[in-house]
Amino acid sequence: PDGYEVLLANGGATTFWDLQALVRMRTRIAAAGMTFEAIENFPDPFMTKIRLGAPGRDEQIERIMGIIRDVGRAGIPIIGYHFMLLGVWRTEYSPTGRGGALVSKYDHGLVNRAPIVDVGGLDEEGLWANLSYFLKAVVPVAEEEGVMLALHPDDPPVLSIAGTPRIIRSLQAYRRVLGIIESPANGLEFCQGTVSEMEHTPDEIYAAIREFAGRKKIAYVHFRNVRGMVPSFEETHIDDGRIDMLEAMRAYHEAGFKGVLIPDHVPGSPDDSPWGHRGRAFAFGYMKALRKCVEGR
């Protein structure tokens, strides 16, 4: 009924979320000279009833708490999650970027006729109440296990899609989340790309980086750039959007952020792999150069 049994039937759920499997994965990563820093997102079916506040959510919360315990006991310090009812939306993916790169775009005007999704009359404050219920239950467990929960904002950060509310769509929403329960385990996945899609000025974004990183609330970062803001924007190469990425990197550095920065979505280069290895290689190189600049090396 909630998709969990389907995942079990197809494997994956039992093989990945098992404590021993997590330890094996962390050990394998360590053997390659790397650190298992975070897991990004619980499987969506594990959270469906929690987000909707539907019957059975307490059972899903118990399952999530068990996962958090295993993640902590496996020595993994961060797990990301989101509270989007309909996930990430884009309206176009076309070769209009620099050098013919495939660019992901969103135009809210094109989703005005999206069929309404039945969420049982759930409105914005109801969704906030469900998020609060969830956090008040699971954050104490995460704190006990030494795990930080990292919330991803709604992408795109618009008021609603297909009749469903979207609540994590501004910097103030991030602040509201942190105020639900005060704990080092209640943190943020700072998706700089999504934040840049919001109606905030670049200076407000640099200030927010310093604010949240200074409070040690940023678990890890999606370090990407965009052109435009809601209701219409497109993702760009890291050096080609509305945010000065050197200034952003400087803000993380000056605030003492020591976590991971991830390129996240990248434009697709012609004849690249499905995962976009060329675009990611460019982004990683650019990020390493930015880091050296702000560190004075």
Side-chain angles (χ1 to χ4, degrees):
D2 61 7
Y4 181 64
E5 291 79 8
V6 174
L7 283 169
L8 290 176
N10 293 337
T14 51
T15 57
F16 181 77
W17 297 105
D18 173 80
L19 173 59
Q20 292 183 344
L22 290 167
V23 171
R24 285 195 299 269
M25 190 180 303
R26 189 205 67 201
T27 303
R28 181 181 177 190
I29 290 169
M34 299 182 291
T35 302
F36 195 165
E37 186 70 11
I39 296 173
E40 181 155 348
N41 296 335
F42 303 102
D44 266 344
F46 290 22
M47 296 276 292
T48 302
K49 293 177 181 178
I50 295 169
R51 296 185 185 116
L52 293 173
R57 71 169 170 179
D58 288 333
E59 289 79 3
Q60 286 201 330
I61 286 173
E62 284 293 330
R63 188 177 299 142
I64 293 295
M65 290 192 293
I67 291 172
I68 292 169
R69 291 188 183 99
D70 283 347
V71 167
R73 293 168 189 178
I76 303 162
I78 299 167
I79 186 161
Y81 72 103
H82 69 82
F83 227 71
M84 291 180 276
L85 296 175
L86 294 184
V88 176
W89 276 54
R90 293 293 185 267
T91 56
E92 184 180 339
Y93 189 56
S94 58
T96 57
R98 187 175 69 209
L102 289 161
V103 175
S104 170
K105 303 180 183 182
Y106 180 80
D107 183 348
H108 194 60
L110 297 178
V111 302
N112 286 340
R113 297 181 183 179
I116 299 299
V117 175
D118 182 10
V119 290
L122 183 66
D123 62 10
E124 184 169 325
E125 285 306 312
L127 190 56
W128 272 110
N130 293 343
L131 175 57
S132 179
Y133 187 92
F134 170 70
L135 288 176
K136 288 177 179 178
V138 302
V139 166
V141 175
E143 183 173 343
E144 181 181 337
E145 297 296 339
V147 175
M148 178 181 271
L149 299 174
L151 175 64
H152 190 290
D154 288 20
D155 185 7
V158 294
L159 184 67
S160 67
I161 290 179
T164 67
R166 298 172 76 83
I167 57 175
I168 313 303
R169 60 178 191 270
S170 68
L171 293 171
Q172 190 54 39
Y174 258 164
R175 296 183 184 105
R176 181 172 174 177
V177 169
L178 296 178
I180 290 173
I181 178 169
E182 294 292 337
S183 169
N186 185 19
L188 306 174
E189 177 185 335
F190 195 84
C191 182
Q192 187 180 310
T194 304
V195 171
S196 300
E197 298 160 11
M198 299 173 184
E199 295 178 302
H200 299 297
T201 67
D203 284 343
E204 288 175 325
I205 294 170
Y206 310 141
I209 292 169
R210 290 182 168 89
E211 172 192 347
F212 295 128
R215 293 172 60 187
K216 299 190 184 305
K217 288 298 183 180
I218 298 180
Y220 60 98
V221 176
H222 281 171
F223 197 74
R224 66 176 171 89
N225 213 343
V226 302
R227 183 180 295 110
M229 297 177 288
V230 292
S232 178
F233 61 85
E234 64 182 24
E235 296 181 289
T236 67
H237 288 288
I238 195 170
D239 63 330
D240 198 27
R242 76 184 193 95
I243 302 303
D244 182 339
M245 300 300 262
L246 176 58
E247 185 59 35
M249 185 68 79
R250 184 177 291 115
Y252 292 111
H253 176 68
E254 292 177 352
F257 178 68
K258 302 296 184 183
V260 173
L261 291 90
I262 304 168
D264 198 27
H265 315 158
V266 296
S269 300
D271 300 321
D272 201 355
S273 68
W275 188 239
H277 285 85
R278 290 178 184 171
R280 292 177 190 279
F282 173 76
F284 275 122
Y286 197 86
M287 289 163 64
K288 288 173 71 71
L290 292 178
R291 179 182 172 186
K292 288 189 175 184
C293 285
V294 301
E295 292 177 351
R297 296 191 285 123

